[in-house]
Amino acid sequence: MPSPAQTEAVPSNPVQYARPNGGVWSQVGVITVDYPPVNAVGHGVRSGLLAALDDGLADDGADALVIVCAGRTFMAGADIREFGKPSAPPTLPEVVARLDAASKPVVAAIHGTALGGGLEVALACHVRVALKSAKLGLPEVKLGLLPGAGGTQRLPRLVGAAKALDMILSGDPVGAEEALALGLVDAVEDGTSPLEAGLRAAERLLAEGNVPQPVSARTDRIAGTDPGLFAAKRAELAKRQPHLFSPHRIVDAVEAAVTLPFAEGTARERELFLACMESPQRAGLIHAFFAEREVAKVPGLPADTPTRDIRKIGVIGAGTMGGGIAMCFANAGIPAVLVDTAQEGLDRGIAAIRRNYEATARKGRLTAAQVEERMALIHPTLSYADLADADLVVEAAFESMEVKQTIFRKLDETCKPGAILATNTSTLDVDAIAAATGRPQDVLGMHFFSPANVMRLLEVVRGAKTSDSVLATVMGLARRIGKVGVAVGVCYGFVGNRILHQRGRESMALVEEGASPEQVDRVLTEFGFPLGHFSMTDLAGIDVGWRIREERRKSGDPEAQAPNWLDTLAERGRYGQKTSAGVYRYEPGSRTPIPDPEVAAVIEEDRRRRGITPRTVSDEEVRERCLYVMVNEAAKILEEGIAARPVDIDTIWLHGYGFPSWRGGLLFWADREGLGRIAEAVQRYHRDIGGPQWRPSALLLQCAAEGRPIGC
C-alpha cells in the first residue's frame, strides 16, 4: 500500500551500514533506513538495503545484523512517487529473498508502523522486536492487491492460516501486544529506542547461540490446517464481497502457503499478485485512495490561509442528526453544547447518544470510562445563551428555510464575533440562510451524512460571502474529527443530493413505466452499491424526502415534482425502516426488505391515475437510466463550478452514497464506461423521454467528441 505523500528531499543514500565501536554491541551490525517522512520502500531503499546487507554479511566483526529506521516509523509501505510505474530492480521480492537467505541472523526493530512492503521486509528477518506503540499490517487489499513479496506465505507460518486470512483480507493493522500474542513478533519493548530494542534482541540471540529458522522454513503453524477453512472463507466472500477481485485471490494465495512448498507458494503468490495488478479494480481503488487525499486541497485556497481556533462547538437540534454531530466532536475531544427547544427532546437526544456509545462499548471499541468521558463533553441545554463562547455552531434543525433563518438570527445575536455559523441543510440555499445574519462571511454549510457519527463524508458548502479563513478552518476541522471534507458550492442539493435526486427521479419513472422497486434495487446492487435506491430511501426515511418535496412545492419551485406514489406511502405513515414499512416491509428487528403487495397496489393505482400502461423494462435500461443520468448531472455540476474537479464528485459519492470503491468513483467509472456511449444514450433519452434531467451537458458532449476524460 502506498505511504502518505513524500514531501521531503530524497536522501542520496537512504540506507547506511555501521557497527558500534566497542561495548557490548560491537558484534552487531546496524542497517539504518532514513528516507523521510515514512521510510517508504522505494527504489533507493530497496537497492540500499541490498548494499547494506552485503556490507553486513562481509563484515567479519558482525555476528548479527539489525534493521532499524530513523524518524517516526519503520517502513510504512510503497513509495507514492513510484506507484503505478514499472518497478526498477531490485524488486521487493528480490530484497526479501536475500534477507531470508542471509547467513547471519537479522533482527527487525519495529516502531511506528510496519505496513505492506515494510512488514514483508520484517517477515523475512529471523527475529522481529517491536516497540509497544507499533502497529503491523498488510493493507494491500484496500488497493485491490495482495501482498506480493512473500506476505501471504510468511504470515501464515507465524500466526496460522486463519488469522493470516483475517489480517490480509481486512487490511487492518494489529498492535504490538496482539502481534506478540499471535507470534508475529518475538518481543515487545517499552520505554526505549527502536535501535536499543533491536540491539538488545541481537544480544540475546547471540548469547543463546541458537539462530531461529527463517520464517520460510517454518511449518508448525500451518501443519494440519483444516482445508474447509478456505471453502468457508470463499463462501463468506461470495456473500459479503461478491464484486471484489483481490480478496478471492488472497484466499488462493494463503491456501498455497498451506498446500505447497514455500518456493512454489511464493511463485503462486506472484502469479496472483500480477493478476490483481492487471485487474481494472486496482485502478479504481487506487484512484479512490488518492482522491481522499486530493480533495483536502481546495483549488484557489492558499495552503497558508489563516484558520480560527476551534475549542468549543454548539449544535442546534438534539434529534438524530444533531446528536450524531455532537458525538463527532466529542469523539475528537471537543466539548459540545447541545441545544433543543424542549426538555423532552433534549432528554431523548442525550439518551440516544448514550445508547450509541454503550453499544460501541459492548463491541469492545470503547471502555466504560471512555463512554463517560465522551458523555461529559456533551452539555445539553435549552438556552442559546450557553453558546455565547462557542467557536463554531452547527444548526441541525428541521429542513425548512423559515425555521433555519429564525435560528440564524438568534445565533447572530448570541454568538461572539468570529464564531463560525454552519448549517447542516442538505438542500436549502446557504446564501439565503447567511443573509439572515449580519455576518455572512462567517456562515457556511456543514452537510453531515446520516448517521453523522459513522459516515465519513462532510460536504463543506462555501457561500458567496464565506471567507477563506472560515473555509480553511472547517476543512481542517473535518480532518480533525475524522471526516473527509469536500468543498462545494451553493445550489439545490449541492453535489451529492443533487445527483441523487436525478437518480431518484429516474428510479421513480422506471417504476411508473413498469419496473418494480425490487428490480431497480437489484440492478443497482449488482452494479456494486450496498443498497438499491428504494432500500436506501427506506433507511433514510421516506418522510425526509417527502417533506423536502412538500417544501419545494409550497415554494413554487418550477422543478418541484408532482405528488407521486412515494408521497402516498408517506401520507399513510409508511416512513421506512423506522416504522417497519416503507417501499418494503420489515420484520421486527430486521433490516431485510420484503416486497409488499400493498405497495404494488399503490404503484398500480398511481399508474392508472396517470394513464400509464405498464411495460416490460430491461435491466440494461434500468442500469443506463439510473447511472447515466447521474453522470450527466455531475458534468453539469462541473460546468457550473459547484464542484471544482471530478475527484470532488467521485469522493462525495464514494464516501456518502456507497458508490463501489473498486469502480473508482462516478466520473472515474464514466470515463471507463465510455463518454461517447454515455453521451449518445443521454441524447437518445432526451429525445425519447425529455425532461431537464436528460438535457445533455455541454461538457459531457464536448469531452465525448474530443475523446478526453471528463473535466480535463
Side-chain angles (χ1 to χ4, degrees):
M1 184 168 185
S3 63
Q6 305 267 349
T7 57
E8 302 180 28
V10 181
S12 58
N13 189 359
V15 184
Q16 299 284 341
Y17 173 77
R19 183 157 49 85
N21 292 323
V24 295
W25 293 322
S26 60
Q27 293 175 278
V28 181
V30 178
I31 296 171
T32 303
V33 179
D34 187 3
Y35 185 46
V38 293
N39 297 312
V41 192
H43 176 258
V45 171
R46 296 194 303 272
S47 56
L49 279 170
L50 287 188
L53 179 63
D54 287 341
D55 289 345
L57 295 176
D59 183 353
D60 293 335
D63 296 326
L65 306 176
V66 171
I67 296 178
V68 68
C69 293
R72 65 177 186 263
T73 186
F74 194 72
M75 289 169 253
D79 191 339
I80 211 168
R81 284 175 288 220
E82 298 179 5
F83 215 74
K85 301 175 183 177
S87 183
T91 65
L92 188 57
E94 291 169 340
V95 173
V96 163
R98 289 280 301 280
L99 283 167
D100 185 89
S103 57
K104 296 178 181 179
V106 183
V107 176
I110 299 167
H111 74 295
T113 56
L115 300 175
L119 180 55
E120 288 181 297
V121 168
L123 289 172
C125 296
H126 295 81
V127 171
R128 284 151 299 287
V129 59
L131 297 194
K132 192 173 183 179
S133 58
K135 294 185 180 298
L136 303 88
L138 294 170
E140 286 83 355
V141 69
K142 296 180 180 181
L143 294 180
L145 296 171
L146 56 80
T152 67
Q153 305 303 295
R154 289 185 176 86
L155 186 62
R157 286 170 160 80
L158 288 175
V159 305
K163 185 59 185 178
L165 280 172
D166 289 344
M167 285 183 62
I168 303 173
L169 286 170
S170 73
D172 297 331
V174 298
E177 297 284 4
E178 183 179 355
L180 179 63
L182 291 171
L184 177 52
V185 300
D186 301 284
V188 172
E189 297 273 2
D190 194 16
T192 186
S193 70
L195 175 58
E196 187 174 342
L199 290 170
R200 278 201 286 228
E203 182 184 15
R204 289 193 297 270
L205 196 66
L206 294 175
E208 293 167 2
N210 184 21
V211 178
Q213 286 182 303
V215 175
S216 61
R218 304 183 195 180
T219 59
D220 56 300
R221 296 300 301 272
I222 56 175
T225 299
D226 181 2
L229 168 68
F230 304 103
K233 189 60 69 173
R234 289 187 180 99
E236 178 189 329
L237 289 172
K239 182 178 181 180
R240 186 167 52 88
Q241 297 178 322
H243 304 289
L244 296 182
F245 183 79
S246 68
H248 297 270
R249 309 292 86 74
I250 286 168
V251 177
D252 293 343
V254 175
E255 185 177 39
V258 171
T259 59
L260 298 175
F262 182 80
E264 292 179 30
T266 301
R268 176 65 172 148
E269 176 194 79
R270 196 65 187 167
E271 175 187 315
L272 293 165
F273 174 81
L274 293 174
C276 291
M277 286 289 289
E278 294 168 4
S279 167
Q281 292 189 6
R282 177 188 67 89
L285 286 163
I286 289 171
H287 176 76
F289 176 87
F290 286 111
E292 183 177 331
R293 286 143 185 82
E294 185 65 22
V295 296
K297 297 173 279 188
V298 180
L301 185 68
D304 59 354
T305 300
T307 59
R308 304 181 187 181
D309 196 13
I310 305 296
R311 297 184 180 182
K312 179 180 178 180
I313 67 101
V315 179
I316 306 296
T320 301
M321 282 303 300
I325 292 169
M327 290 177 69
C328 291
F329 290 98
N331 293 345
I334 302 172
V337 176
L338 184 61
V339 182
D340 205 279
T341 56
Q343 189 64 47
E344 182 184 359
L346 203 56
D347 292 343
R348 190 165 51 244
I350 289 294
I353 291 170
R354 177 169 287 281
R355 283 197 303 273
N356 281 333
Y357 277 138
E358 289 178 346
T360 304
R362 284 194 296 274
K363 296 173 184 174
R365 297 174 189 163
L366 286 177
T367 65
Q370 287 172 323
V371 170
E372 297 309 320
E373 286 170 8
R374 296 184 188 193
M375 289 299 302
L377 286 168
I378 300 174
H379 172 64
T381 181
L382 299 176
S383 175
Y384 274 69
D386 289 335
L387 299 172
D389 61 344
D391 302 300
L392 176 145
V393 179
V394 183
E395 166 273 314
F398 179 65
E399 193 77 346
S400 159
M401 179 60 76
E402 182 180 354
V403 169
K404 292 182 186 293
Q405 287 181 329
T406 299
I407 290 171
F408 271 75
R409 289 188 192 100
K410 289 182 183 178
L411 293 176
D412 193 25
E413 295 169 358
T414 305
C415 295
K416 66 184 181 182
I420 297 172
L421 309 182
T423 173
N424 181 55
T425 182
S426 57
T427 58
L428 299 179
D429 187 340
V430 172
D431 290 328
I433 294 171
T437 77
R439 54 173 100 180
Q441 72 280 0
D442 293 335
V443 178
L444 83 174
M446 289 180 69
H447 180 207
F448 289 81
F449 286 70
S450 185
N453 54 303
V454 175
M455 297 293 286
R456 295 188 65 213
L457 178 65
L458 178 65
E459 278 186 317
V460 181
V461 187
R462 183 176 196 170
K465 296 184 179 180
T466 304
S467 73
D468 282 358
S469 172
V470 167
L471 180 61
T473 298
V474 173
M475 288 296 290
L477 183 63
R479 291 191 297 275
R480 186 176 165 192
I481 64 174
K483 302 298 182 186
V484 179
V486 184
V488 301
V490 175
C491 67
Y492 178 79
F494 316 127
V495 171
N497 279 346
R498 176 170 160 179
I499 295 171
L500 179 66
H501 289 168
Q502 298 299 5
R503 191 184 78 176
R505 186 191 294 262
E506 283 309 295
S507 297
M508 290 293 293
L510 285 160
V511 170
E512 289 161 3
E513 292 169 33
S516 66
E518 304 91 84
Q519 180 190 6
V520 173
D521 281 0
R522 176 178 51 77
V523 170
L524 290 172
T525 54
E526 287 176 353
F527 178 80
F529 283 100
L531 292 173
H533 183 81
F534 295 107
S535 294
M536 187 184 72
T537 301
D538 274 356
L539 177 63
I542 291 176
D543 55 318
V544 177
W546 172 49
R547 290 190 175 109
I548 291 171
R549 291 190 293 275
E550 285 290 293
E551 179 84 9
R552 293 190 78 181
R553 287 191 278 262
K554 287 177 184 175
S555 70
D557 188 332
E559 291 195 14
Q561 299 175 40
N564 55 42
W565 60 267
L566 206 57
D567 296 324
T568 302
L569 296 182
E571 289 164 1
R572 293 185 181 185
R574 295 182 65 115
Y575 292 166
Q577 287 188 15
K578 58 189 167 187
T579 59
S580 297
V583 178
Y584 302 99
R585 68 178 181 86
Y586 300 86
E587 295 292 346
S590 171
R591 294 190 174 188
T592 302
I594 303 171
D596 192 337
E598 181 182 336
V599 175
V602 169
I603 293 170
E604 187 54 42
E605 175 58 33
D606 188 66
R607 289 172 182 154
R608 281 196 296 270
R609 181 173 61 82
R610 295 168 182 263
I612 297 171
T613 301
R615 63 181 177 86
T616 300
V617 179
S618 70
D619 286 357
E620 181 60 22
E621 182 179 349
V622 172
R623 180 183 181 274
E624 281 192 353
R625 286 175 61 178
C626 284
L627 295 172
Y628 290 3
V629 77
M630 293 168 63
V631 175
N632 192 47
E633 195 67 24
K636 293 176 185 177
I637 286 170
L638 287 174
E639 287 175 28
E640 298 167 19
I642 301 300
R645 303 157 293 186
V647 72
D648 296 323
I649 296 174
D650 284 348
T651 303
I652 286 169
W653 268 81
L654 285 165
H655 290 286
Y657 299 87
F659 196 92
S661 57
W662 51 273
R663 293 192 185 274
L666 176 62
L667 293 178
F668 184 88
W669 166 79
D671 287 331
R672 279 140 189 80
E673 175 82 352
L675 296 184
R677 174 180 175 176
I678 294 173
E680 185 278 327
V682 168
Q683 291 171 301
R684 172 164 38 87
Y685 288 126
H686 185 236
R687 181 185 67 242
D688 297 345
I689 297 174
Q693 73 274 24
W694 288 116
R695 176 182 57 80
S697 155
L699 177 62
L700 173 63
L701 297 182
Q702 182 182 3
C703 291
E706 296 175 2
R708 61 182 174 88
I710 199 161
C712 294

